[in-house]
Amino acid sequence: MENRPLEYDYTVAKMFMLTTIIFGIVGMSIGVILAFELAFPGINTILGSGLAEYTNFSRLRPLHTDSVIFGFTISGVFATWYYVGQRVLKVSMAESSLLMFLGKLQFWIYILTVAAAVVSLFLGETTSKEYAEFEWPVDIAIVVVWVLWGVNMFGLIGLRREKSLYISVWYYIATFLGIAMLYLFNNMEVPTWLATSAAGETHIGDWFHSVSMYAGTNDALVQWWYGHNAVAFGFTVPIVAMVYYFLPKESGQAIYSYKLSLLSFWGLMFVYLWAGGHHLLFSTVPDWVQTMGSIFSIVLILPSWGSAINMLLTMKGEWQQVAASPLIKFMILGSTFYMFSTLEGPIQAIKSVNAIAHFTDWIVGHVHDGVLGWVGFMIMAGLYHMAPRVFKREIYSKSLMASQFWIQTLGVVLYFTSMWIAGITQGMMWRAHDQFGNLAYSFIDTVTVLHPYYAIRGVGGLLYLIGFVMFTYNIYKTMTAGKRLDSEPASASPMGA
Amino acid sequence: MNKLYLWGIIVTAAMLGATYATVGYQKGGLNGDIINKLAIAGAVALVIITVFVVIKYVRQMQTDTADGELAEESWDNIGEYKNPLPFGWAVIFLGTMVWGMWYWVIGYPVDAYSQIGEYNEDVAAHDAKFNAQYASIKGPRLVEMGESVFLTECVVCHGLSADGIDGQAANLNERISFKSVKYAIDHGLTGKLIGTEAAMPDRSGLMNANNNYAPITDKEIDEVSKYVADGFKDKNSAGAKVFAGTCTMCHGANGEGVAGMAPQIDGWNSQLIVNVLDYGKVGAIGRMPVMDRLNSKQKEAAAAYVMSLSEGK
Amino acid sequence: MFHWLEKNPFFFAVGVFAAIAFAGLVEIVPNFAEASRPVIGTAPYSTLELAGRQVYIKNSCNACHSQLIRPFKSETDRYGHYSLSGEYAYDRPFLWGSKRTGPDLHRVGNYRTTDWHENHMKDPAAIVPGSIMPKYTWMYTKMVDIDTAFAEQLTDAQFFAVPYNKPVPMKELDVDGKPKTKIVKMGKSIAEANAMALVEAKDIVKNMKDQDIKDAVNKRGEIPEIVALIAYLNSLK
Ligand code: HEM
Ligand code: HEM
Ligand SMILES: [Ca+2]
Ligand SMILES: [Ca+2]
Ligand SMILES: [Cu+2]
């Protein structure tokens, strides 16, 4: 082992920090537009009816989901990996010019991929499968990016000086493997150009069009095996990787319990995949697949809560830190929202509850208390923690960070409470029969009642977006105007007033 | 009491209040529906459990201190305690696993449950209740029931005021429009308005008995269409004469219809409307779809409602 | 053992992979053969219907509309018979959706009509006051892509044995009590496919009001997207 501290090289981490922020703004702005389009449908033609094809709700919705998932979240995962990975493995990117090159290559191919994805979705080129909308050329590019990341990850691991892998690394490895497996199988599709010779042609229609390998119920099974676990390995596993590093590091506390980390990790790995059936309750998949999905969803509460509890207990006796640091607040509240959504999910996975919740805004509420309160908070906290160490400057403003925290918290609360009420209301109205045994409500009755909730959700989302812009500004000022640091802070990140 | 618990109670109460308000909204509240009750119970449990469990840990942040034996390793200066598993967590984890296995193998083994079976039972119960409570209602109650059918099934085409939304579907406040009569004569009709295949001939098959059985003329078509659409009022009009010469033999002297021959056209009758719902209709305006999701009582009720709109005319 | 795994990344990764791969097999494999058998009465999509389906996908109608009627009294009252697995045998991809901002459409062909869709897609709120569905005005002027639909049919027939040009059983019985059959035709060349789609389109526009659309199809031999979309919606029964 070397004596002098390592100089870590954050070039690639910085690149992905930038894209995290850019795609965050893009994706969330589209989210806010979507939210207001449902409250005030006139906004569908916001750029005039000539452009309505590109600005209406249905064309923009996949752009929102894919830009926050494959843009914001995945960038956040890469950015934190290229920071955390080096540090917990005790090896610098600068030590291998090959890994450095591959990291940069990964970034640039990623940029091209995202650009292609955005353009194709705007044009309506989608396969319709949620979170797997892209046609095969984009799929291939995504696979290339992913493989490059894997090579980098295992390259760094191969060079490591720390013999034993830190918990965060477990979770990053799982992210890599999980997404790789899921993405490949769910995107099995036959490009149509392979079949055009039967008509004596070499080329018919769009060259990038494809047909899914699976049909109907089978396609649904594979898609939700993917969809459910994409949530697992995109919104849960890598975010847990982040909290396991950033919370103890920022607070200077040791992890509460190794055993708890261990059981939570392997429990999560084992249980998660079995629960996908909860997206298909009361559908045409066999009853036993549905029951299995429900049962494992309940079991899943425990390994999920295990990590959150481990984090909360890591802060045992450290309330003064929670009170003083908005950065730690983000992580503590994030863990709390993680607990909330991993209890809400299993409750919605109970068949009788799902009978009401499925297809309604209650699901959308569940999604967003997870993604806003947990994924968003953790990624921002990670970047805040990284900024002083990467840019060697103090965080520009603590008070700005504190206001951001409260604004966004209010935003999340407005979002999920309004959707909770909207969803239960709508679900119950769909089921209601009147005094004559007829359906009590026509469909449109169940739409117009939602108007106030859609408006409140829009406001909540807007607050969250405003908070994100404040975050962006704070990071930008940190880079350019933060007070310079002579040495790296050991734990608590220094912040200007 | 600690401030935190107070907050916990406030947050919980607010969420539950919101849920309560949601339920209060509904026609019939929880409606005696077990699914509604379980969903609400789930929502309530979610809030209470999360809030109070988190408070428990926050209390530990406030009052407890970190301790335990540190592991020898540390990563980037992050240490790790060798603390045991939190007891409650471990027990519940084990418990849910055992419960899961039990449910799977013994409780509800693979084929013990069928959602279609459950559905069939539910429908049977609903139908039995429906037959017991509504099979014999008539008069104003039947009209009321019909209104309820109309509001969920028909408004999308016929509009809230049943006027047909600017000619996109039939205006049900009157029996028939000029345009539709004219269309029937011009093109004939091959629907099942009287429940049989009996067809209305097109203009080439309509002869005027007053006029040496010559085919009906454009002028006569306009006249008779006006007469019918106006509700057979002006008995001295040219249209009335045409009607008597051409249409009476099938539709009756005043358009009251002839059983097995042709439908009533001077007003609605229940069977006619039920036939429209059973078989649909294609006419001047477009196509009226078959409404086969409705049961016979609902169709009868819808008919009663439509008739009430024009008081039978 | 776990400490050992944590020091051996390769075996660690293998362990993780084994843990996560297993469940997928259990979940997916047993259903495969069973679910792909079509029920009687399910036929492949015609060229124009398939083109319409592509319009539906292109505009992400599935973001707001499900095509899955669950076995609840309230749903079968509203939408008709609950959905059956075999009805989806020719659905690549499946379009069940996961959110009902608008109503289910799995059987919308039973209770809505060509001219209703024509009016509704242009301005939903004009037909259903309070509707929050966007207006799809461009579908009335953009022409649909029959070539790609044809390419998809070729792929279906060649790779997935979808029975084009072959008899498939229908629900109705013939005089001998056997199911009647139906043959869904597929073109042999692009030109033929386009000609067949045009014949279908002419049938649809008979019931439409918009003169520009009628002219496009009848006079210019072009097919606006809306015509294909309606053909698809009418096929949902
Ligand atoms: C114990 C953990 C969890 C369980 C058992 C669970 C369960 C569920 C259930 C039952 C649904 C609704 C399916 C439906 O009826 O449509 C759902 C949807 C969803 N959940 Fe979770 N959830 C969990 C945690 C999370 C977390 C932590 C996140 C994100 C951070 C998340 C993101 C989502 C998303 C994005 C959907 C929407 C999927 C769609 O597009 O339909 N879930 N979850
Ligand atoms: C500014 C904040 C945001 C707003 C206002 C917003 C708004 C929306 C809206 C309106 C929808 C469509 C819901 C529907 O179809 O009814 C949606 C869906 C979704 N959003 Fe967001 N969003 C925001 C941020 C995010 C973030 C940060 C993420 C992920 C990291 C995210 C992930 C998703 C997902 C996964 C869905 C699909 C949910 C489903 O299919 O059930 N959103 N969002
Ligand atoms: Ca794909
Ligand atoms: Ca969804
Ligand atoms: Cu899931």
Side-chain angles (χ1 to χ4, degrees), chain B residues 93-119:
Chain B
F93 195 5
L94 203 67
T96 52
M97 302 241 262
V98 171
W99 164 82
M101 288 305 129
W102 168 83
Y103 195 97
W104 191 231
V105 181
I106 302 170
Y108 293 84
V110 181
D111 289 329
Y113 169 81
S114 148
Q115 60 184 24
I116 302 302
E118 189 176 27
Y119 168 76

Short mmCIF file of all heavy atoms in Angstrom, two decimals, chain B residues 93-119:
data_model
loop_
_atom_site.label_atom_id
_atom_site.label_comp_id
_atom_site.label_asym_id
_atom_site.label_seq_id
_atom_site.Cartn_x
_atom_site.Cartn_y
_atom_site.Cartn_z
N PHE B 93 -39.02 -10.54 9.33
CA PHE B 93 -38.52 -11.07 8.06
C PHE B 93 -38.73 -12.59 8.01
O PHE B 93 -39.32 -13.13 7.06
CB PHE B 93 -37.03 -10.74 7.91
CG PHE B 93 -36.50 -10.92 6.51
CD1 PHE B 93 -37.32 -11.26 5.44
CD2 PHE B 93 -35.13 -10.72 6.25
CE1 PHE B 93 -36.82 -11.40 4.15
CE2 PHE B 93 -34.62 -10.86 4.95
CZ PHE B 93 -35.47 -11.21 3.92
N LEU B 94 -38.29 -13.22 9.07
CA LEU B 94 -38.46 -14.67 9.13
C LEU B 94 -39.94 -15.03 9.07
O LEU B 94 -40.36 -15.93 8.34
CB LEU B 94 -37.84 -15.19 10.44
CG LEU B 94 -37.43 -16.65 10.41
CD1 LEU B 94 -36.29 -16.85 9.43
CD2 LEU B 94 -37.04 -17.12 11.81
N GLY B 95 -40.71 -14.27 9.83
CA GLY B 95 -42.16 -14.52 9.88
C GLY B 95 -42.79 -14.42 8.50
O GLY B 95 -43.56 -15.29 8.08
N THR B 96 -42.47 -13.35 7.75
CA THR B 96 -43.10 -13.21 6.43
C THR B 96 -42.66 -14.34 5.50
O THR B 96 -43.44 -14.81 4.69
CB THR B 96 -42.75 -11.87 5.76
OG1 THR B 96 -41.34 -11.70 5.77
CG2 THR B 96 -43.41 -10.70 6.47
N MET B 97 -41.41 -14.78 5.65
CA MET B 97 -40.96 -15.88 4.78
C MET B 97 -41.75 -17.15 5.09
O MET B 97 -42.21 -17.84 4.18
CB MET B 97 -39.48 -16.16 4.98
CG MET B 97 -38.64 -14.94 4.71
SD MET B 97 -37.50 -15.19 3.38
CE MET B 97 -36.07 -15.56 4.29
N VAL B 98 -41.90 -17.41 6.36
CA VAL B 98 -42.64 -18.61 6.74
C VAL B 98 -44.09 -18.48 6.28
O VAL B 98 -44.65 -19.38 5.66
CB VAL B 98 -42.58 -18.82 8.28
CG1 VAL B 98 -43.52 -19.94 8.70
CG2 VAL B 98 -41.15 -19.11 8.70
N TRP B 99 -44.66 -17.31 6.52
CA TRP B 99 -46.03 -17.08 6.09
C TRP B 99 -46.15 -17.26 4.57
O TRP B 99 -47.07 -17.90 4.07
CB TRP B 99 -46.45 -15.66 6.48
CG TRP B 99 -47.69 -15.20 5.76
CD1 TRP B 99 -48.97 -15.49 6.10
CD2 TRP B 99 -47.74 -14.42 4.56
NE1 TRP B 99 -49.83 -14.93 5.18
CE2 TRP B 99 -49.11 -14.26 4.23
CE3 TRP B 99 -46.78 -13.83 3.73
CZ2 TRP B 99 -49.52 -13.55 3.11
CZ3 TRP B 99 -47.20 -13.12 2.63
CH2 TRP B 99 -48.55 -12.98 2.32
N GLY B 100 -45.17 -16.73 3.83
CA GLY B 100 -45.21 -16.84 2.37
C GLY B 100 -45.22 -18.30 1.93
O GLY B 100 -46.03 -18.72 1.11
N MET B 101 -44.33 -19.07 2.55
CA MET B 101 -44.26 -20.48 2.19
C MET B 101 -45.55 -21.21 2.56
O MET B 101 -46.08 -22.02 1.80
CB MET B 101 -43.07 -21.16 2.91
CG MET B 101 -41.73 -20.74 2.36
SD MET B 101 -41.68 -21.03 0.57
CE MET B 101 -41.12 -19.46 -0.02
N TRP B 102 -46.08 -20.85 3.71
CA TRP B 102 -47.32 -21.48 4.16
C TRP B 102 -48.44 -21.16 3.15
O TRP B 102 -49.15 -22.03 2.68
CB TRP B 102 -47.70 -20.96 5.55
CG TRP B 102 -49.11 -21.34 5.93
CD1 TRP B 102 -49.51 -22.54 6.46
CD2 TRP B 102 -50.29 -20.58 5.75
NE1 TRP B 102 -50.88 -22.55 6.62
CE2 TRP B 102 -51.38 -21.35 6.19
CE3 TRP B 102 -50.55 -19.29 5.25
CZ2 TRP B 102 -52.69 -20.90 6.16
CZ3 TRP B 102 -51.85 -18.83 5.22
CH2 TRP B 102 -52.91 -19.63 5.67
N TYR B 103 -48.54 -19.88 2.82
CA TYR B 103 -49.60 -19.42 1.92
C TYR B 103 -49.52 -20.18 0.60
O TYR B 103 -50.51 -20.63 0.04
CB TYR B 103 -49.38 -17.94 1.67
CG TYR B 103 -50.57 -17.23 1.07
CD1 TYR B 103 -51.45 -16.52 1.88
CD2 TYR B 103 -50.80 -17.22 -0.30
CE1 TYR B 103 -52.54 -15.86 1.35
CE2 TYR B 103 -51.88 -16.56 -0.85
CZ TYR B 103 -52.74 -15.88 -0.02
OH TYR B 103 -53.81 -15.22 -0.56
N TRP B 104 -48.32 -20.32 0.15
CA TRP B 104 -48.02 -20.89 -1.15
C TRP B 104 -48.30 -22.38 -1.20
O TRP B 104 -48.83 -22.91 -2.17
CB TRP B 104 -46.53 -20.61 -1.39
CG TRP B 104 -46.02 -20.85 -2.75
CD1 TRP B 104 -44.92 -21.58 -3.07
CD2 TRP B 104 -46.53 -20.34 -3.96
NE1 TRP B 104 -44.76 -21.57 -4.41
CE2 TRP B 104 -45.72 -20.81 -4.99
CE3 TRP B 104 -47.62 -19.53 -4.28
CZ2 TRP B 104 -45.94 -20.52 -6.33
CZ3 TRP B 104 -47.84 -19.23 -5.60
CH2 TRP B 104 -47.01 -19.72 -6.61
N VAL B 105 -47.92 -23.04 -0.10
CA VAL B 105 -47.96 -24.50 -0.12
C VAL B 105 -49.23 -25.04 0.53
O VAL B 105 -49.84 -25.98 0.05
CB VAL B 105 -46.73 -25.08 0.59
CG1 VAL B 105 -46.75 -26.60 0.54
CG2 VAL B 105 -45.46 -24.54 -0.04
N ILE B 106 -49.64 -24.42 1.64
CA ILE B 106 -50.77 -24.97 2.39
C ILE B 106 -52.00 -24.08 2.33
O ILE B 106 -53.10 -24.52 2.02
CB ILE B 106 -50.37 -25.17 3.88
CG1 ILE B 106 -49.15 -26.10 3.95
CG2 ILE B 106 -51.53 -25.75 4.67
CD1 ILE B 106 -48.52 -26.17 5.32
N GLY B 107 -51.81 -22.80 2.59
CA GLY B 107 -52.93 -21.87 2.68
C GLY B 107 -53.75 -21.82 1.41
O GLY B 107 -54.93 -22.19 1.36
N TYR B 108 -53.13 -21.37 0.36
CA TYR B 108 -53.80 -21.29 -0.93
C TYR B 108 -52.91 -21.93 -1.98
O TYR B 108 -52.34 -21.24 -2.81
CB TYR B 108 -54.10 -19.84 -1.30
CG TYR B 108 -55.12 -19.23 -0.39
CD1 TYR B 108 -54.75 -18.69 0.82
CD2 TYR B 108 -56.47 -19.23 -0.76
CE1 TYR B 108 -55.69 -18.14 1.67
CE2 TYR B 108 -57.42 -18.69 0.08
CZ TYR B 108 -57.03 -18.14 1.30
OH TYR B 108 -57.96 -17.62 2.13
N PRO B 109 -52.79 -23.26 -1.94
CA PRO B 109 -51.87 -23.90 -2.88
C PRO B 109 -52.29 -23.60 -4.32
O PRO B 109 -53.44 -23.24 -4.58
CB PRO B 109 -52.02 -25.38 -2.55
CG PRO B 109 -53.27 -25.51 -1.76
CD PRO B 109 -53.47 -24.22 -1.08
N VAL B 110 -51.31 -23.77 -5.17
CA VAL B 110 -51.35 -23.26 -6.54
C VAL B 110 -52.73 -23.12 -7.19
O VAL B 110 -53.06 -22.08 -7.73
CB VAL B 110 -50.43 -24.12 -7.42
CG1 VAL B 110 -50.41 -23.63 -8.85
CG2 VAL B 110 -49.03 -24.09 -6.83
N ASP B 111 -53.56 -24.17 -7.14
CA ASP B 111 -54.81 -24.08 -7.89
C ASP B 111 -56.03 -23.77 -7.03
O ASP B 111 -57.16 -23.89 -7.47
CB ASP B 111 -55.06 -25.42 -8.60
CG ASP B 111 -54.06 -25.58 -9.74
OD1 ASP B 111 -53.67 -24.55 -10.30
OD2 ASP B 111 -53.67 -26.72 -10.02
N ALA B 112 -55.79 -23.35 -5.80
CA ALA B 112 -56.92 -23.21 -4.89
C ALA B 112 -57.80 -22.02 -5.22
O ALA B 112 -58.93 -21.94 -4.79
CB ALA B 112 -56.43 -23.11 -3.46
N TYR B 113 -57.29 -21.11 -5.98
CA TYR B 113 -58.05 -19.90 -6.21
C TYR B 113 -58.21 -19.65 -7.70
O TYR B 113 -57.28 -19.87 -8.47
CB TYR B 113 -57.32 -18.71 -5.57
CG TYR B 113 -57.89 -17.38 -5.97
CD1 TYR B 113 -59.03 -16.88 -5.34
CD2 TYR B 113 -57.31 -16.64 -6.99
CE1 TYR B 113 -59.58 -15.67 -5.73
CE2 TYR B 113 -57.86 -15.43 -7.38
CZ TYR B 113 -58.98 -14.95 -6.75
OH TYR B 113 -59.52 -13.76 -7.13
N SER B 114 -59.40 -19.24 -8.11
CA SER B 114 -59.59 -18.87 -9.51
C SER B 114 -60.30 -17.54 -9.58
O SER B 114 -61.38 -17.37 -9.02
CB SER B 114 -60.41 -19.96 -10.22
OG SER B 114 -61.19 -19.37 -11.23
N GLN B 115 -59.69 -16.58 -10.24
CA GLN B 115 -60.30 -15.26 -10.28
C GLN B 115 -61.58 -15.27 -11.10
O GLN B 115 -62.50 -14.50 -10.83
CB GLN B 115 -59.32 -14.21 -10.80
CG GLN B 115 -58.80 -14.47 -12.20
CD GLN B 115 -57.77 -13.42 -12.60
OE1 GLN B 115 -57.14 -12.82 -11.75
NE2 GLN B 115 -57.61 -13.21 -13.89
N ILE B 116 -61.65 -16.16 -12.08
CA ILE B 116 -62.87 -16.23 -12.88
C ILE B 116 -63.99 -16.84 -12.05
O ILE B 116 -65.14 -16.41 -12.11
CB ILE B 116 -62.63 -17.05 -14.17
CG1 ILE B 116 -61.50 -16.41 -14.99
CG2 ILE B 116 -63.89 -17.14 -15.00
CD1 ILE B 116 -61.72 -14.97 -15.38
N GLY B 117 -63.63 -17.85 -11.22
CA GLY B 117 -64.62 -18.42 -10.32
C GLY B 117 -65.18 -17.35 -9.40
O GLY B 117 -66.39 -17.24 -9.22
N GLU B 118 -64.31 -16.55 -8.86
CA GLU B 118 -64.74 -15.49 -7.96
C GLU B 118 -65.65 -14.50 -8.70
O GLU B 118 -66.68 -14.06 -8.19
CB GLU B 118 -63.51 -14.76 -7.40
CG GLU B 118 -63.86 -13.81 -6.30
CD GLU B 118 -62.62 -13.16 -5.68
OE1 GLU B 118 -61.59 -13.04 -6.37
OE2 GLU B 118 -62.70 -12.78 -4.51
N TYR B 119 -65.27 -14.22 -9.92
CA TYR B 119 -66.07 -13.30 -10.73
C TYR B 119 -67.47 -13.86 -10.95
O TYR B 119 -68.48 -13.17 -10.79
CB TYR B 119 -65.37 -13.06 -12.07
CG TYR B 119 -66.24 -12.36 -13.10
CD1 TYR B 119 -66.48 -11.00 -13.00
CD2 TYR B 119 -66.82 -13.06 -14.14
CE1 TYR B 119 -67.28 -10.35 -13.93
CE2 TYR B 119 -67.63 -12.43 -15.07
CZ TYR B 119 -67.85 -11.06 -14.97
OH TYR B 119 -68.64 -10.44 -15.88
#
